Amino acid sequence: MLRVAVVGSGPSGVYTAQSLVQQSTVPGIRVDVLDRLPCPYGLVRYGVAPDHEKIKSLQQNLRAVLEDERIAFVGDVEIGTRGLTPARLLELYHAVVYCVGAARDRRLGVPGEDLAGSCSATDFVSWYSAHPDASANGFTGSGTGLNGRSAVVIGVGNVAVDVTRILARGVDELRPTDVPEGALRALEASRVREVHMVGRRGPGQAKFTTKELRELGGLPGVRVGVEAADLALDPSFADPSGLPAVNRRNLEVVRGWAAGDADGDDLARGIRLRFFLRPVELLGENGRVAAVRFERTEPDGAGGVRGTGRFEEIEAQLVLRAVGYKGVPLPGLPFDEARGTVPNEAGRVLRDGAPSLGEYVAGWIKRGPTGVIGTNRPCAKETVASLLADAAELAGREVAGDPLGALRDLGHEPVAWRGWLSIEEAESALGHALGRGRVKIPDWAGLRAAAREGSAGHG
């Protein structure tokens, strides 16, 4: 028998568990998928925008894997607390695969970044996705960024597009989704009427995908505009032939918005796409952000940009930065701070340059925050191939006979699959009581209380 712990139940963790049971020739393999949250699915539950129902439906594929009799979901178990160190995990399991993602957002590193009303897009996404760690302080109540008329989103990737869309979208279109009730009410009361999505390079280098970009133009009652002066700076705008196909398609969309930029001034909300602007300072008023000061950039001829010494300011009572993610060190594991990853070779964790038997990584903590959800499949398969190549040596290690019992002895109260199903039932009941579809429970206490309702069942 081979007992494996997979730490993290997002796509990379679930794909790793799936590959283990599909590829293994070891009889009686058992995989426990551990997560610090009582809910599975990681960023598919807590990172995919609520109005992206097609992507969120991926949960059904992940569910099918977690319902395999050889795989068990073990929620509400955090590594590094109550004695559960990586070293202790290796006493409970023959092998451990860490699929913990990249939870830290990158900062701008400019003056004024810590003013009230300046937040990470990650925090905004977590708030409207009902992550139990999320704070509502920046987005609800009087004097918050949603009470201002203008928001600036810094970044031109899909996360930036998501938060721009949620800020501009009418609340009636969000009501049928699983947005938590508190966030829905705050978005309904929002006074934001202009959203500026700003990138330091040109539209030909932007990282958003065309499907997500086009969605901005399909929002009812929303005008999308682009500055002609920004487009004129991008050499690829006039001749996109040398660009990858997705970038060419993006330019076609932007070109259409530029042609119709004067239309729709009577609409309720506006989105402005700005390019070749680099943030240099967030300007405050009475302790809150009031504007962002940008330096105009221009192509440097080598694929990058350089500053021009010309500046402009954009009014903003809310600033969301969406400029990328970094991995977070896990106590007890080696960590490459520069790359934001755990040092590894084909998924095998390296300690002092040598593979550490029984310790593996997959997903963003292995390769950095790159790729799309599907990229995690081949990444997981590579790691699993390394683990299974070590299987004979791993199976010879002596481990605890009952790892879940050992977790309870350490003071953990694992949420099994039955507990997660109970959370789902409670969220459906909450939505019904509110006259909506299923609505997420946004707090730890509520999730744990719902999970206890199913504690008599078995995962």
Side-chain angles (χ1 to χ4, degrees):
M1 172 180 268
L2 188 67
R3 283 193 171 273
V4 181
V6 174
V7 181
S9 66
S12 64
V14 174
Y15 293 152
T16 296
Q18 183 180 42
S19 292
L20 279 165
V21 298
Q22 287 181 344
Q23 297 180 40
S24 176
T25 58
V26 179
I29 187 170
R30 295 287 301 176
V31 181
D32 287 348
V33 180
L34 280 57
D35 202 294
R36 76 178 192 90
L37 297 172
C39 310
Y41 311 139
L43 283 178
V44 177
R45 175 175 165 90
Y46 288 119
V48 174
D51 56 347
H52 273 177
E53 290 297 332
K54 184 174 181 180
I55 303 176
K56 287 173 71 69
S57 68
L58 177 62
Q59 292 184 20
Q60 299 308 314
N61 302 88
L62 302 181
R63 172 192 290 271
V65 175
L66 293 174
E67 288 181 335
D68 188 297
E69 62 181 8
R70 297 164 292 181
I71 298 172
F73 172 71
V74 184
D76 205 0
V77 173
E78 184 170 5
I79 312 304
T81 64
R82 283 172 278 180
L84 193 56
T85 62
R88 181 64 176 133
L89 272 181
L90 279 181
E91 296 173 358
L92 305 180
Y93 296 93
H94 294 104
V96 184
V97 187
Y98 295 92
C99 307
V100 292
R104 182 173 58 190
D105 64 279
R106 293 183 181 275
R107 290 176 61 84
L108 301 173
V110 301
E113 188 169 7
D114 294 319
L115 286 166
S118 168
C119 310
S120 76
T122 305
D123 290 344
F124 188 59
V125 171
S126 294
W127 170 69
Y128 67 62
S129 297
H131 195 294
D133 288 343
S135 169
N137 292 343
F139 313 113
T140 60
S142 60
T144 66
L146 291 178
N147 282 337
R149 66 167 300 277
S150 179
V152 167
V153 178
I154 299 175
V156 284
N158 280 345
V159 173
V161 172
D162 278 350
V163 298
T164 296
R165 190 180 66 256
I166 294 297
L167 284 169
R169 186 181 279 287
V171 73
D172 286 343
E173 300 155 56
L174 291 173
R175 190 168 280 109
T177 74
D178 60 7
V179 168
E181 187 69 9
L184 186 71
R185 290 197 302 267
L187 290 167
E188 185 173 26
S190 171
R191 298 178 182 175
V192 174
R193 292 297 177 266
E194 284 284 340
V195 185
H196 305 262
M197 188 170 69
V198 187
R200 63 185 178 87
R201 298 198 293 176
Q205 292 76 48
K207 299 298 184 182
F208 39 62
T209 52
T210 310
K211 178 180 180 296
E212 279 68 27
L213 182 62
R214 284 190 178 123
E215 287 180 331
L216 296 180
L219 298 175
V222 176
R223 164 182 49 82
V224 182
V226 187
E227 296 280 343
D230 293 355
L231 303 181
L233 288 171
D234 192 340
S236 62
F237 190 75
D239 180 15
S241 59
L243 293 176
V246 64
N247 299 80
R248 293 199 303 270
R249 291 193 294 268
N250 288 343
L251 285 178
E252 291 174 7
V253 175
V254 172
R255 183 175 283 109
W257 288 337
D261 194 25
D263 297 333
D265 289 336
D266 59 334
L267 296 178
R269 290 180 174 88
I271 296 173
R272 307 290 298 182
L273 272 63
R274 300 297 313 274
F275 300 99
F276 292 109
L277 292 174
R278 176 168 58 202
V280 294
E281 185 177 4
L282 274 61
L283 306 175
E285 188 175 294
N286 298 322
R288 295 196 56 83
V289 66
V292 184
R293 190 170 194 239
F294 292 93
E295 181 182 18
R296 170 65 78 184
T297 62
E298 63 184 9
D300 63 5
V305 293
R306 60 187 170 222
T308 64
R310 302 191 304 275
F311 300 88
E312 68 174 86
E313 295 174 8
I314 298 178
E315 175 194 352
Q317 293 79 40
L318 175 66
V319 176
L320 299 176
R321 63 179 182 274
V323 292
Y325 300 93
K326 287 190 69 175
V328 176
L330 189 65
L333 279 184
F335 190 72
D336 184 336
E337 187 66 45
R339 291 174 51 85
T341 59
V342 170
N344 71 92
E345 185 177 88
R348 292 183 177 92
V349 172
L350 300 177
R351 291 184 180 271
D352 298 321
S356 175
L357 183 67
E359 295 185 305
Y360 305 85
V361 285
W364 279 3
I365 201 63
K366 169 187 174 183
R367 67 181 191 274
T370 61
V372 295
I373 290 175
T375 311
N376 291 297
R377 281 191 181 276
C379 175
K381 287 182 178 180
E382 180 189 56
T383 294
V384 167
S386 295
L387 188 157
L388 294 178
D390 301 336
E393 191 173 0
L394 293 171
R397 296 179 56 250
E398 185 175 342
V399 297
D402 178 16
L404 297 188
L407 291 176
R408 295 186 182 96
D409 291 341
L410 288 170
H412 297 271
E413 298 180 14
V415 171
W417 188 249
R418 177 58 247 176
W420 159 243
L421 296 180
S422 184
I423 290 173
E424 285 191 314
E425 293 165 5
E427 291 183 337
S428 294
L430 174 61
H432 180 74
L434 293 168
R436 299 173 55 194
R438 179 177 167 184
V439 173
K440 285 181 182 174
I441 297 171
D443 60 280
W444 281 100
L447 290 170
R448 284 169 171 157
R452 282 195 295 271
E453 294 295 318
S455 60
H458 297 282

